[in-house]
Amino acid sequence: MKNTNITTNNTVNKTNTNTTNSKGVKTMKKTSIFKKIIAGVLSAITVFSVGAIALTSASAAETGTVESVKYKGNTIYYSDDYFRHSSTEYDEHLATLSCIMTNFSVPLDNPSSLDSDWYLKQPERLYGFFGSIGFKDFETNDDYVSRSRFDSIGVGCANRQVDDYTVIGVGIRSGGYFREWSNNVYLGDGTKSDYMHEGWYNAANKTIDYINEYISANRITGKIKVWIAGFSRGGATANLAAGLLDNRILNDEEIFSNDVTLTRDDLYAYTFEAPQGANYNSETVEKPGSELYNNIYNVVNPNDLVPKVAMSEYGFTRFGIDKFITTEFFDPDNFADNRDVFLNLYEENGTPRSEYKADDFKMYGTPLKKMAPLVAELVACLPAGVAEVVSQIKDGTILVKDDTKANYDANIATYLLLEEMTKNIGSRSDYCSKYQQGVSNFLLTLMNDVDALKKDELEYLAGKLLLSEAVSSVPGFGDLAEDAIRDVLPADTNANEVIDSIGPLLDVVGDVYWERPNELISVGLYVKEIFQNHDNGINIAHLEAQDSYYVANYNNNHGILMPKVELRDSADFGRVTCKDYNDIGLYNENGKINLVSVKGAKGVKSEVKKCTKGFAVGYYSYATEEGLELFVPVNRKYILNMMSYSIKPKHTVSYSAFYQSVSPNSDCRFRDGRGNFSDWYFMNSDFLQRGLNMNYYK
């Protein structure tokens, strides 16, 4: 490891405002508003000194100094050394810088009118970011400075000379999507996108085309490095664009029209909370698990719902290597300390730690026969505010804690809901023919620029729709979901038409309610907390917590020794489901340590007696014929003992066990094992014990 000194950079490179795109594409530099905002942008950039702090470098390739600047309240560290090592080497500093880049690709507010110059100002923050780290010749594509469309994608580029390379920074607009939201649910049947997500596939190809235009317009030649980053929809686009570029490099195709050279080691791609757009069924590219994509890094929070779609059951995944933010389920021993480091930096960035609620998820429920009236009351309370609802939950007025489940988190609950929804929707073809256009039209109506819903309004609507549709599926209750939709639609909208378009998917939600009532209720109740995991400000603090530069600077300023957080390389889990049992125990490999215990007796419902951190267990009961779901970390061996009580004189305990891969690093999403074993039940003798040896070594 090498110590690297942070020094100040007293020069901020100004961009050349005279470059003209060779294809006549209107860029930010050609707008009348551009010159008016240059002074304001540059005045927001402050070069500052943090003293002679010796920082331990995470990259052996680092040899130079690190420049430190302040831009719009953010501390930014930059070094040319980020691009002096192979792109297949994960760089914690470049990851943080990339996340900050995606944050500044987003406009801060909504347009006041469709003819305002707000659209021309959209790239202002990204322009200032690139200028703060010495990148010049900033340009954008037309989509970045125009009203959004169903299939638009904003892309901004700038460049900097590093040794004998031209580094081209590519920022994909990662917010302010408006009508592009309708494109996010447009999976397509795969015939026009090699089975990849059609919307993001088209956006990725537009991104590559614009990089080519930028290179040509700026007359860049010779060796280049491409640095591309995106968050959420922007992340899915960046992921596919990088994957497609990797394949073109592999096949020695001409990628760009100008006389430039790009190798795989010189393509740096970082994405954040990116949905899944690649697909294992693709035929024109290398499979997602290939080492070809080891220059693409995806930072994912397991408790975020967004990276779980499009659905893995349809073959969707991401190109590259997933790096996971630590959660209590996957890293219980270090979780508290890791969260403390993250929250210190989160607060340092200007947000009180008390506003962080993303880990507050709990499972709640009630007996099924009482669910409908209680949920109706819950829905009625929602307009009064979440605080009131939560207080009523805590005192048992509305719902009670689900004691049939232990250690369930947002990751498990949302996974189970999506799994059940996919089963009810059917195949990818079924989704496209029955649901896709209606959901797309619904989002197009809600996210129509000036009338677009704010984030908190969307979260509120999502939670209310989940809860309302649960109640509406019960005979005798009115259509509360329909009322919730009418409340948020613009006045001039044909409400009946919009409701009809979303109706088939809401029917699916109603069906899911009967299969997963407590998961649906809990996700609906905690939807705001769950979606806080999809906040880029939180992502930045998570990335800073694993970046030695930020941790060292914090420690120096506060006189403490705060450790650096490590991202996880896996968020895979093993899952076992069993039917017809009433006593079960999970033990370590030698059978001596009891990790999970669910026990009962003849004619009595089971209870969760023990569930250590790092494991989750839930069960359901129909008389004494019971079922269980068990979630365990992988890369370990376990012994699962099932001791059965049953009202039947002879019965079979059936089980299914599988390993769920949540990253693209294997060539198969699931590894299944299904079977059964028989127990004879004798009224006057003890139960018989049978064991299932579980091997989750990958």
Short mmCIF file of all heavy atoms in Angstrom, two decimals, residues 481-490 495-496 499:
data_model
loop_
_atom_site.label_atom_id
_atom_site.label_comp_id
_atom_site.label_asym_id
_atom_site.label_seq_id
_atom_site.Cartn_x
_atom_site.Cartn_y
_atom_site.Cartn_z
N ALA A 481 -58.54 1.39 -4.34
CA ALA A 481 -57.42 1.67 -5.24
C ALA A 481 -57.84 2.66 -6.32
O ALA A 481 -57.10 3.57 -6.67
CB ALA A 481 -56.90 0.38 -5.86
N GLU A 482 -59.05 2.48 -6.84
CA GLU A 482 -59.56 3.40 -7.87
C GLU A 482 -59.66 4.82 -7.31
O GLU A 482 -59.30 5.79 -7.98
CB GLU A 482 -60.92 2.91 -8.35
CG GLU A 482 -61.53 3.76 -9.45
CD GLU A 482 -62.82 3.18 -9.98
OE1 GLU A 482 -62.87 1.94 -10.15
OE2 GLU A 482 -63.76 3.97 -10.21
N ASP A 483 -60.12 4.92 -6.07
CA ASP A 483 -60.22 6.24 -5.44
C ASP A 483 -58.84 6.88 -5.28
O ASP A 483 -58.66 8.08 -5.47
CB ASP A 483 -60.89 6.13 -4.07
CG ASP A 483 -62.35 5.69 -4.19
OD1 ASP A 483 -62.93 5.86 -5.27
OD2 ASP A 483 -62.88 5.16 -3.19
N ALA A 484 -57.84 6.05 -4.91
CA ALA A 484 -56.48 6.57 -4.72
C ALA A 484 -55.91 7.11 -6.02
O ALA A 484 -55.23 8.13 -6.04
CB ALA A 484 -55.58 5.46 -4.17
N ILE A 485 -56.20 6.44 -7.12
CA ILE A 485 -55.71 6.89 -8.42
C ILE A 485 -56.38 8.20 -8.83
O ILE A 485 -55.72 9.14 -9.30
CB ILE A 485 -55.94 5.81 -9.49
CG1 ILE A 485 -55.08 4.57 -9.19
CG2 ILE A 485 -55.63 6.33 -10.89
CD1 ILE A 485 -55.39 3.38 -10.08
N ARG A 486 -57.68 8.28 -8.64
CA ARG A 486 -58.40 9.50 -9.01
C ARG A 486 -57.86 10.71 -8.25
O ARG A 486 -57.84 11.84 -8.77
CB ARG A 486 -59.89 9.33 -8.73
CG ARG A 486 -60.59 8.36 -9.66
CD ARG A 486 -62.09 8.29 -9.38
NE ARG A 486 -62.72 7.25 -10.16
CZ ARG A 486 -63.13 7.39 -11.42
NH1 ARG A 486 -62.96 8.56 -12.02
NH2 ARG A 486 -63.69 6.39 -12.07
N ASP A 487 -57.40 10.50 -7.02
CA ASP A 487 -56.92 11.60 -6.18
C ASP A 487 -55.69 12.28 -6.76
O ASP A 487 -55.44 13.47 -6.51
CB ASP A 487 -56.61 11.11 -4.77
CG ASP A 487 -57.87 10.81 -3.97
OD1 ASP A 487 -58.96 11.26 -4.39
OD2 ASP A 487 -57.76 10.11 -2.94
N VAL A 488 -54.86 11.54 -7.53
CA VAL A 488 -53.57 12.09 -7.98
C VAL A 488 -53.56 12.44 -9.47
O VAL A 488 -52.58 13.01 -9.94
CB VAL A 488 -52.42 11.10 -7.69
CG1 VAL A 488 -52.31 10.85 -6.20
CG2 VAL A 488 -52.61 9.78 -8.45
N LEU A 489 -54.61 12.13 -10.20
CA LEU A 489 -54.61 12.40 -11.63
C LEU A 489 -54.84 13.88 -11.92
O LEU A 489 -55.59 14.55 -11.20
CB LEU A 489 -55.71 11.58 -12.33
CG LEU A 489 -55.51 10.07 -12.38
CD1 LEU A 489 -56.72 9.41 -13.04
CD2 LEU A 489 -54.24 9.71 -13.14
N PRO A 490 -54.17 14.41 -12.95
CA PRO A 490 -54.45 15.79 -13.37
C PRO A 490 -55.93 15.97 -13.70
O PRO A 490 -56.60 15.03 -14.13
CB PRO A 490 -53.56 15.96 -14.61
CG PRO A 490 -52.48 14.94 -14.45
CD PRO A 490 -53.12 13.78 -13.75
N ALA A 495 -60.03 9.83 -16.32
CA ALA A 495 -59.71 8.94 -15.19
C ALA A 495 -60.11 7.50 -15.47
O ALA A 495 -59.36 6.57 -15.14
CB ALA A 495 -60.41 9.45 -13.93
N ASN A 496 -61.26 7.30 -16.08
CA ASN A 496 -61.71 5.94 -16.34
C ASN A 496 -60.75 5.21 -17.28
O ASN A 496 -60.47 4.01 -17.10
CB ASN A 496 -63.12 5.95 -16.95
CG ASN A 496 -64.17 6.40 -15.96
OD1 ASN A 496 -64.00 6.24 -14.74
ND2 ASN A 496 -65.26 6.97 -16.45
N ILE A 499 -57.61 4.31 -15.26
CA ILE A 499 -57.89 3.22 -14.32
C ILE A 499 -58.02 1.89 -15.06
O ILE A 499 -57.53 0.86 -14.59
CB ILE A 499 -59.15 3.54 -13.51
CG1 ILE A 499 -58.86 4.70 -12.55
CG2 ILE A 499 -59.64 2.32 -12.73
CD1 ILE A 499 -60.07 5.27 -11.88
#
